[in-house]
């Protein structure tokens, strides 16, 4: 099965990046502490945020000739400086949208965990690893998230 990450990436790079303030604060603190920032730690935090994770994957796939759905690989492709710029440019989710976005994030997490479990079960016949299955579940409903962000009263 082939996933057209390059064409999806082209659409994702134009999204306005928003996240929950807690996530932005955590990522900013992690990347500005001056210590060594582990790509696996960054990837784990990004894996908790469907929109931020999708934008990182989209930008990495737009830059790389190889497709990836692994947030760890995407962070390596972009480099810590680019991820830090992305986080710094991200805006907090508007207060009025937070309840709806929280429901979207919860649903995305549930789907991501189910996909990860599915990935374990089909590991012998699948070309994807667990992290890829998780990412695919996490970002599966970006359209719904974008619709709630851009049309909150509809």
């Amino acid at each position: 099965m082939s996933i057209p990450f390059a064409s999806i990436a082209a659409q994702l790079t134009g999204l306005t990046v928003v996240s929950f303030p807690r996530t932005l604060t955590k990522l900013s603190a992690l990347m500005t502490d001056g210590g060594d920032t582990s790509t696996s730690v960054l990837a784990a935090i990004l894996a908790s945020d469907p929109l931020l994770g999708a934008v990182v994957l989209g930008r990495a796939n737009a830059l790389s000739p190889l497709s990836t759905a692994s947030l760890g690989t995407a962070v390596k492709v972009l480099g810590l400086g680019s991820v830090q710029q992305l986080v710094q440019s991200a805006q907090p989710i508007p207060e009025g949208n937070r309840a709806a976005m929280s429901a979207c994030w919860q649903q995305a997490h549930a789907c991501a965990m189910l996909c990860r479990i599915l990935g374990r079960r089909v590991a012998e016949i699948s070309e994807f690893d667990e992290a890829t299955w998780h990412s695919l579940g996490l970002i599966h409903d970006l359209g719904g998230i974008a619709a709630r962000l851009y049309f909150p009263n509809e």
Side-chain angles (χ1 to χ4, degrees), residues 105-115:
W105 263 236
Q106 289 173 3
Q107 192 267 344
H109 286 285
C111 187
M113 291 310 298
L114 288 172
C115 284

Side-chain angles (χ1 to χ4, degrees), residues 39-40 71-80 83:
T39 57
S40 62
L71 283 163
T73 302
V75 168
K76 289 175 186 173
V77 167
L78 291 176
L80 295 178
V83 175

Side-chain angles (χ1 to χ4, degrees), residues 57-75:
L57 286 169
R59 290 186 181 178
N61 278 287
L63 290 174
S64 175
L66 302 174
S67 292
T68 185
S70 162
L71 283 163
T73 302
V75 168

Side-chain angles (χ1 to χ4, degrees), residues 5 15 25 35 38 41 55-56 60 67 69 72 77 86-87 103 116 130 134 137-138 142-143 150:
F5 285 116
L15 285 177
T25 300
S38 163
V41 172
V55 171
V56 167
S67 292
V77 167
L86 174 67
V87 170
R116 184 178 286 274
E130 282 185 39
H134 181 95
L138 186 71
L142 284 179
Y150 292 108

